[in-house]
Amino acid sequence: MGAADIRLKLRESIAEAAKLAAKEPGRYEVGALGWVKVKLSAGEQLPLDLLEKWIDESYRVVVDKRLVAMLPERGLPAVKRKIANKRQ
């Protein structure tokens, strides 16, 4: 993956994003109304767990609530989701 910026809309994690922005202002920026920018650099180790959590949260914030209702429970890892879906 090359250098890129990711913009996410956060609610529950905005305080966490603000703390990271204070520690690493070159990587994280918290803007108005819960928007957060994450700057990614080529060859850099990505905070995958954090990004996965924030992408999920952002998607749930910005999409139509009918689509959110069709999503699996938040925070359930993909492997457990597959097992849970097979049991239903």
Side-chain angles (χ1 to χ4, degrees), residues 5-73:
D5 291 346
I6 298 173
R7 287 178 173 77
L8 304 159
K9 174 83 169 167
L10 301 178
R11 284 194 184 132
E12 295 90 8
S13 300
I14 198 69
E16 177 183 28
K19 287 179 186 177
L20 286 170
K23 289 180 186 177
E24 298 180 62
R27 176 178 245 181
Y28 303 98
E29 292 178 29
V30 176
L33 304 174
W35 286 99
V36 174
K37 182 165 91 172
V38 181
K39 296 178 183 180
L40 306 175
S41 300
E44 182 177 30
Q45 181 72 15
L46 299 176
L48 295 178
D49 289 343
L50 178 70
L51 290 177
E52 182 178 289
K53 176 183 150 190
W54 284 3
I55 289 167
D56 179 67
E57 180 179 334
S58 183
Y59 182 80
R60 290 170 190 269
V61 169
V62 298
V63 302
D64 187 281
K65 298 307 171 203
R66 290 173 290 184
L67 293 174
V68 173
M70 294 189 298
L71 293 173
E73 185 178 324

